[in-house]
Amino acid sequence: MRAWYARGMPPIEAQIAALLSPLTTLRHEIHRHPELGFEEHETQRRVMEYLRDLGFDPKPCATTGVIADLNPGRSGRSLALRADMDCLPMQEDTDLPYRSIHDGRAHKCGHDGHTVSLLGAASILAGMRERVDGNVRLIFQPAEEGVNGGGARVMVEEAALEGVDEIYAFHNWPGFPHGSARVCAGPVMASVHDLVIELRGVGGHASQPQVTRDPVVAGAALVTALQSVVSRNISATDAAVLSVCTFHAGEANNVIPARARLTGTLRTFDTSVAANVVDRIRAVCSGIAESYGVEILPEIQALYPVLVNHADCAEAVRQAAEAILGPTAVSPAGLPLAAAEDFGRFTERVPGAYFFLGAGENSDTPGCHHPDFDFDDRLIPTAIRLFVRLVEDRVGLRP
Ligand code: NI
């Protein structure tokens, strides 16, 4: 007989079933009051209140984030589980009874669902606190969507991973079938570099280009030259996307401007590929500057690193997911995704794995960031069960 029967606790499935109604209500409340990155004050308050009621001692982290330990100071392994909490700066146009009450803010990535799933896991883990043979750190992260470089970086700086051996998180994904889990070892989501390139020349009368240094012509040459960076420097087996997305210069049709400004983005799945592309961008900028007699100042900011799953941790997720969803429901199909996630800031520091729970009914199911998207509440029990299973498997239970 399992220990929870012996101790008078109902089976875990029954405990989760009892949590579903209050967790769904809470998810809808968070959905109704979405908050942008580093502004998640109300969400933080709700999370801390929920955790305090369970006997945790939650602490703020990264301004509007929360961390809480199940067994602070206990010897043994320490596993972190992470959920993101922020919304997107977009309008909610749905007829949902719990639609956003804030203009220009909406939970269109399902972080409301991630947050309550981790709270549900916290609730189950609190009931088995004495038996967990180590610590579990719950990490509720602000600003996953990229405000000020993202919340994960700040949480790492504020020592959120101190003493942590492994970390796990999931994202709901309507692109994968409902009832499936997707996980792989190695790169699972792309790195992102933001590009801002300032061109400084000498402006003047459009009729006298010989006395100017034209940043528009130099910028046009630069955009064209950048197209060859990936195609001529990156191997056919590697991947990178470099896109120049804005080009601003000048105001009048008879004035050669003194300045131009380009912006764009670089995505890769390999840190060395990204470093190579960044080096080539800088080299192309100085070559064009030299040729056209202008100054070119590239600012290339590494926004998010490649999200790399550690092999052991990905395998742990695969086994746990197979035990819960069945062997045919778990695969690496469709990975890596070219979207980005700052969970890679955590897996740069400690081993970990990021996985996806499919939320797709059919090809019409609105995807993350779509105006009609809503988190699928049926994922809550699966996510809780998976989180708890990872604790059982990777931290262990006392007899
Ligand atoms: Ni998201």
Side-chain angles (χ1 to χ4, degrees):
M1 184 177 280
R2 303 289 292 267
W4 49 70
Y5 289 104
R7 288 157 191 257
M9 290 283 282
I12 192 165
E13 286 73 18
Q15 294 180 51
I16 292 172
L19 286 170
L20 276 190
S21 173
L23 283 177
T24 304
T25 303
L26 178 59
R27 207 277 291 176
H28 296 175
E29 272 304 293
I30 294 174
H31 190 98
R32 197 196 305 273
H33 301 95
E35 295 172 301
L36 293 169
F38 295 119
E39 296 175 9
E40 303 94 335
H41 299 284
E42 182 63 20
T43 312
Q44 180 189 49
R45 186 193 62 73
R46 289 178 198 273
V47 166
M48 290 180 82
E49 195 175 285
Y50 193 101
L51 292 172
R52 275 195 204 101
D53 285 349
L54 294 171
F56 286 86
D57 181 20
K59 303 267 194 312
C61 183
T63 311
T64 45
V66 178
I67 57 174
D69 283 354
L70 181 69
N71 290 319
R74 181 173 291 189
S75 62
R77 289 173 64 71
S78 178
L79 181 137
L81 302 171
R82 174 273 212 171
D84 41 16
M85 302 193 296
D86 54 326
C87 74
L88 283 162
M90 59 191 284
Q91 195 64 28
E92 169 129 39
D93 289 326
T94 67
D95 296 328
L96 292 170
Y98 49 88
R99 65 184 169 274
S100 169
I101 61 166
H102 299 306
D103 266 353
R105 278 183 272 161
H107 269 295
K108 293 293 159 186
C109 204
H111 299 185
D112 47 350
H114 302 166
T115 298
V116 301
S117 296
L118 187 53
L119 288 174
S123 188
I124 301 294
L125 291 167
M128 52 198 276
R129 188 188 304 269
E130 291 310 315
R131 297 171 53 230
V132 175
D133 196 18
N135 185 34
V136 179
R137 179 162 304 159
L138 307 169
I139 297 182
F140 294 86
Q141 185 202 306
E144 187 284 316
E145 299 288 359
V147 176
N148 292 339
R153 182 180 55 80
V154 186
M155 294 198 104
V156 169
E157 282 168 9
E158 295 186 13
L161 292 180
E162 205 165 282
V164 167
D165 295 307
E166 288 180 4
I167 185 163
Y168 295 88
F170 84 100
H171 207 291
N172 76 95
W173 203 256
F176 300 142
H178 195 268
S180 71
R182 298 287 167 91
V183 66
C184 68
V188 65
M189 293 182 93
S191 69
V192 181
H193 285 71
D194 269 352
L195 267 63
V196 178
I197 303 176
E198 186 89 26
L199 293 97
R200 295 181 186 169
V202 177
H205 200 287
S207 66
Q208 296 179 303
Q210 74 279 13
V211 298
T212 71
R213 292 292 177 192
D214 188 345
V216 175
V217 175
L222 181 58
V223 172
T224 305
L226 288 174
Q227 303 311 306
S228 70
V229 167
V230 170
S231 72
R232 299 297 87 186
N233 295 279
I234 302 304
S235 136
T237 55
D238 289 327
V241 176
L242 173 58
S243 295
V244 176
C245 300
T246 70
F247 186 149
H248 292 287
E251 309 221 33
N253 68 343
N254 57 357
V255 177
I256 293 171
R259 299 204 173 187
R261 190 172 186 266
L262 313 179
T263 67
T265 186
L266 165 65
R267 309 268 167 139
T268 74
F269 295 106
D270 185 316
T271 308
S272 66
V273 170
N276 186 10
V277 174
V278 167
D279 281 353
R280 291 305 304 154
I281 293 171
R282 292 189 192 284
V284 167
C285 285
S286 42
I288 297 284
E290 179 72 25
S291 306
Y292 288 80
V294 298
E295 201 180 352
I296 301 184
L297 306 167
E299 232 180 78
I300 304 171
Q301 192 198 3
L303 194 59
Y304 288 176
V306 184
L307 199 182
V308 180
N309 277 351
H310 292 243
D312 276 3
C313 301
E315 178 57 19
V317 170
R318 190 189 65 77
Q319 287 181 15
E322 281 196 6
I324 291 157
L325 296 167
T328 56
V330 186
S331 85
L335 302 180
L337 293 173
E341 229 299 342
D342 69 349
F343 188 72
R345 297 262 181 227
F346 295 124
T347 55
E348 280 181 330
R349 300 298 181 106
V350 298
Y354 192 79
F355 56 97
F356 297 89
L357 294 180
E361 287 298 338
N362 51 53
S363 57
D364 293 338
T365 311
C368 294
H369 296 207
H370 188 282
D372 294 335
F373 170 88
D374 186 32
F375 180 83
D376 185 337
D377 289 317
R378 292 173 302 169
L379 296 184
I380 296 172
T382 310
I384 295 174
R385 191 66 194 87
L386 250 163
F387 276 148
V388 173
R389 177 79 187 216
L390 285 167
V391 171
E392 291 169 344
D393 292 351
R394 305 299 281 181
V395 181
L397 298 183
R398 294 176 174 177

